[in-house]
Amino acid sequence: MVGGGLGLGVAGMATGDEGIYDDLKGVLYTDLALNVEADMIQYANDTQHEKIVRGLGLGMALIMYGRQEGADELVNGLLDDPDPILRYGGIQTLALAYCGTGSNKAVRKLLHVAVGDVSDDVRRYAVMSLGFILFRKPKSVPRMVELLSESYNPHVRYGAAMALGIPCAGIGLDKAIDILEPMIKDPTDFVRQGALIALSMIMVQQNEAMNPKVGTIRKTLQKAIGDRHEDAMTKFGSAISLGIVDAGGRNCMISLQTQTGNLNMAGIVGMAVFTQYWYWFRLTHFLSLSFTPTSVVGLDQDLEVPSFKFHSATRPSLFDYPPEQEAKTEDAPEKVNTAVLSTTA
């Protein structure tokens, strides 16, 4: 039923279909946490289920996608709520309402919450949401979150890492990498997790000809997975990171905007839901909505692949795939002659 609700919500997203609304509202009033997580509702203050309240926060954020000032009243109401889960929902709503706008007003509000809220969850997502607001200005983000990446609060440090990964995905920005590399050795496991995921986002479709640090970061990810002394959360982050950096067989890019510069709604929504894996790891799969193929596929009228060529004005090494991971083959021990004891003779 969770899948059905999510599927119905995604299929009808932004349509304003009253029939879908009535169907989901009917499920809502059963007051079952598993059902309502896929819904958008209005009685968050009345229910006792934390999952329902959290689901409602994300639902309201999706409703206000791209609304900008039209979402201000709802955002302000949520941010003033005594329930930290609803304040968290207010941050989500602000992030999706102003995504890609670079709004100074939205950035100031996020920074104010990031340093002033009493809830670690709210502060973490406030810092992370800077990436959604500024993803069209990725070079401005490192300067903004550099001090936050050194905060005493590990939740703020995690948010700073993800705030770098979201807008800098696929561009290999050196300044972002310089901030993230020390965070790989952070004393807190989930901060290391966030740093690895952010680095993998930045390194999507980068090879050593484009960025010499690609090889080192790949080795770091492999080492974290194989290290039996490493924490489970960091290993989980490393596993996700290896999947991201090789997304689509290394033929996909994380893109929150289209080739024409417009907002990519599916990509932004996918990234927003992906970041909620903190509470339910299965939501990591939503990141696939942010993947855009970069390969060229041509078919003729018979749906056959024709023979065609492309001219590239740059050297082929710029587009080379990173080398495949080599599996170590252990040499089998040599067979030795059986010892003959003197008593046997």
Side-chain angles (χ1 to χ4, degrees):
M1 191 171 288
V2 172
L6 282 170
L8 184 59
V10 172
M13 186 167 59
T15 63
D17 190 308
E18 293 187 7
I20 295 177
Y21 170 79
D22 290 337
D23 289 340
L24 291 175
K25 187 170 70 171
V27 177
L28 162 69
Y29 283 101
T30 61
D31 206 35
L32 296 176
L34 283 176
N35 295 352
V36 180
E37 188 151 320
D39 198 4
M40 306 171 190
I41 52 163
Q42 300 180 10
Y43 66 74
N45 288 315
D46 299 330
T47 182
Q48 300 300 311
H49 293 294
E50 179 181 325
K51 285 185 177 181
I52 294 177
V53 180
R54 202 170 293 285
L56 296 178
L58 180 57
M60 287 183 278
L62 293 174
I63 290 172
M64 291 298 170
Y65 169 84
R67 292 285 299 278
Q68 299 189 39
E69 288 83 0
D72 285 351
E73 184 178 351
L74 176 61
V75 168
N76 292 334
L78 290 171
L79 292 181
D80 290 338
D81 198 283
D83 186 346
I85 300 178
L86 285 177
R87 296 201 302 277
Y88 182 97
I91 294 296
Q92 290 178 302
T93 305
L94 180 64
L96 290 188
Y98 285 92
C99 59
T101 63
S103 167
N104 289 329
K105 178 180 71 173
V107 169
R108 284 197 302 271
K109 189 168 291 188
L110 289 174
L111 290 173
H112 175 74
V113 174
V115 299
D117 201 278
V118 296
S119 168
D120 286 337
D121 284 353
V122 178
R123 296 180 66 183
R124 181 183 69 248
Y125 206 80
V127 179
M128 190 190 308
S129 294
L130 292 169
F132 286 99
I133 306 296
L134 298 169
F135 75 76
R136 282 173 164 160
K137 302 177 180 178
K139 293 183 180 179
S140 68
V141 180
R143 175 177 51 83
M144 189 169 296
V145 303
E146 188 170 10
L147 289 177
L148 294 172
S149 70
E150 299 173 358
S151 169
Y152 73 93
N153 188 318
H155 290 266
V156 172
R157 297 200 300 273
Y158 173 93
M162 295 297 286
L164 289 168
I166 292 168
C168 301
I171 65 173
L173 189 63
D174 289 335
K175 183 60 177 176
I177 295 171
D178 291 342
I179 295 174
L180 288 168
E181 279 187 314
M183 300 177 76
I184 296 175
K185 300 178 182 179
D186 195 276
T188 305
D189 54 358
F190 63 78
V191 177
R192 296 196 298 273
Q193 178 192 85
L196 292 172
I197 291 175
L199 278 171
S200 70
M201 289 179 176
I202 293 171
M203 290 300 185
V204 168
Q205 291 208 338
Q206 298 281 312
N207 58 24
E208 295 198 40
M210 301 169 71
N211 193 315
K213 293 185 177 180
V214 169
T216 304
I217 291 172
R218 283 182 174 274
K219 289 178 182 177
T220 300
L221 295 173
Q222 291 284 356
K223 182 181 177 182
I225 288 179
D227 187 355
R228 63 180 180 177
H229 300 295
E230 186 59 87
D231 294 286
M233 292 185 73
T234 306
K235 285 188 176 183
F236 176 67
S238 300
I240 294 175
S241 299
L242 283 173
I244 293 173
V245 80
D246 291 332
R250 300 173 180 170
N251 290 305
C252 280
M253 174 71 74
I254 294 176
S255 180
L256 302 188
Q257 59 182 334
T258 64
Q259 290 184 348
T260 56
N262 297 317
L263 296 182
N264 176 12
M265 183 171 72
I268 293 169
V269 169
M271 181 65 74
V273 180
F274 164 75
T275 59
Q276 306 309 308
Y277 79 84
W278 182 279
Y279 303 102
W280 198 28
F281 70 92
R282 289 179 174 86
L283 295 177
T284 53
H285 298 293
F286 273 82
L287 184 61
S288 61
L289 292 174
S290 301
F291 293 153
T292 300
T294 54
S295 56
V296 177
V297 179
L299 300 176
D300 60 20
Q301 65 271 21
D302 299 320
L303 300 184
E304 298 290 339
V305 179
S307 176
F308 52 83
K309 296 180 180 179
F310 291 92
H311 173 73
S312 174
T314 187
R315 62 189 189 280
S317 63
L318 198 63
F319 299 101
D320 278 350
Y321 289 103
E324 294 286 350
Q325 182 69 23
E326 295 181 3
K328 290 185 178 180
T329 56
E330 296 182 2
D331 296 331
E334 295 181 5
K335 188 175 182 180
V336 296
N337 295 328
T338 306
V340 179
L341 302 178
S342 58
T343 53
T344 303

